[in-house]
C-alpha cells in the first residue's frame, strides 16, 4: 500500500506545487525552518528600509494541535478539488481517510471496533502534505504597514 501511496503523493504534489503558498515550508523538499526564518527576516528587514514603517510578526506553534488526528476528510477533499486535484483522486482519498475500523488491544482485552471518519492512519505516507498544503484553516498572515506619521 505504501508504494501506491507514494505514487498518489507524487501526483498530489505536482498538482499542488503551482498553488503552494510561498510561505509554506513544512513537508516539501528543499524547504526548511531555516528557509522560513530567512524569508520572515528578509521580508521584515526589506519593509523596514522604508522610512516610518513597522512590521509585526506572530509565531504560532501548531504542533500541539495533533494535526494528523484533526484532518476532516470532507473539508480537505473540497479544498484539494478547488486546487485542481482530479475528482477520481479526491474520491479515492475520501474513501482512504474515512470508514476505517479501529480497535485497541491491551494484554488479552480488546475493545469493540469503532469506525473512524477523521484523522489519517498512523504512518500514512499521504498524511502531512495534503493536510498542511490544503487545510483551509491554515494560511499565511503577514501584514505590512505603509509609512505613516510616527508620533514622537
Amino acid at each position: 500500500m505504501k508504494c501506491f501511496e507514494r505514487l498518489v503523493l507524487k501526483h498530489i504534489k505536482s498538482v499542488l506545487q503551482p498553488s503552494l503558498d510561498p510561505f509554506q515550508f513544512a513537508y516539501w523538499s528543499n524547504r526548511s525552518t531555516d528557509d522560513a526564518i530567512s524569508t520572515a527576516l528578509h521580508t521584515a528587514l526589506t519593509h523596514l528600509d522604508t522610512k516610518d514603517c513597522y512590521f509585526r510578526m506572530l509565531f504560532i506553534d501548531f504542533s500541539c494541535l495533533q494535526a494528523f488526528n484533526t484532518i476532516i476528510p470532507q473539508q480537505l477533499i473540497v479544498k484539494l478539488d478547488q486546487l485542481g486535484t482530479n475528482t477520481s483522486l479526491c474520491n479515492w482519498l475520501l474513501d482512504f481517510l474515512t470508514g476505517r475500523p479501529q480497535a485497541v488491544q491491551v494484554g488479552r482485552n480488546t475493545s469493540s471496533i469503532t469506525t473512524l471518519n477523521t484523522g489519517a492512519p498512523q504512518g500514512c505516507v499521504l498524511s502531512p502534505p495534503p493536510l498542511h498544503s490544503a487545510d483551509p484553516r491554515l494560511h499565511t498572515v503577514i501584514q505590512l504597514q505603509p509609512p505613516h506619521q510616527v508620533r514622537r
Side-chain angles (χ1 to χ4, degrees):
M1 186 64 169
K2 290 214 185 259
C3 290
F4 184 68
E5 286 180 44
R6 283 186 184 90
L7 289 172
V8 171
L9 178 62
K10 184 177 180 179
H11 178 73
I12 289 173
K13 281 186 170 185
S14 72
V15 171
L16 293 180
Q17 193 70 36
S19 60
L20 183 65
D21 184 328
F23 296 104
Q24 168 70 34
F25 296 96
Y27 303 106
W28 291 91
S29 59
N30 301 318
R31 292 183 178 211
S32 68
T33 52
D34 289 342
D35 294 323
I37 292 167
S38 295
T39 300
L41 284 173
H42 175 73
T43 303
L45 294 173
T46 301
H47 182 70
L48 291 173
D49 284 341
T50 305
K51 186 178 180 190
D52 294 332
C53 284
Y54 64 93
F55 189 88
R56 293 180 188 173
M57 204 176 292
L58 172 66
F59 293 94
I60 301 173
D61 180 5
F62 288 107
S63 64
C64 63
L65 297 178
Q66 299 179 356
F68 302 115
N69 294 330
T70 60
I71 296 173
I72 301 168
Q74 293 77 5
Q75 290 180 2
L76 180 63
I77 297 309
V78 167
K79 185 65 173 179
L80 286 171
D81 183 55
Q82 291 170 351
L83 292 172
T85 306
N86 179 288
T87 302
S88 296
L89 180 58
C90 287
N91 290 335
W92 182 86
L93 278 169
L94 186 60
D95 287 342
F96 180 74
L97 294 172
T98 57
R100 296 184 322 278
Q102 180 178 354
V104 177
Q105 183 175 357
V106 178
R108 295 182 185 173
N109 300 316
T110 303
S111 70
S112 58
I113 295 175
T114 300
T115 302
L116 301 177
N117 289 308
T118 60
Q122 188 173 13
C124 171
V125 174
L126 293 171
S127 296
L131 168 70
H132 293 291
S133 301
D135 191 318
R137 298 171 295 174
L138 305 177
H139 56 86
T140 302
V141 180
I142 290 186
Q143 183 179 20
L144 301 175
Q145 297 299 319
H148 63 282
Q149 286 292 81
V150 177
R151 292 184 187 185
R152 297 180 203 263

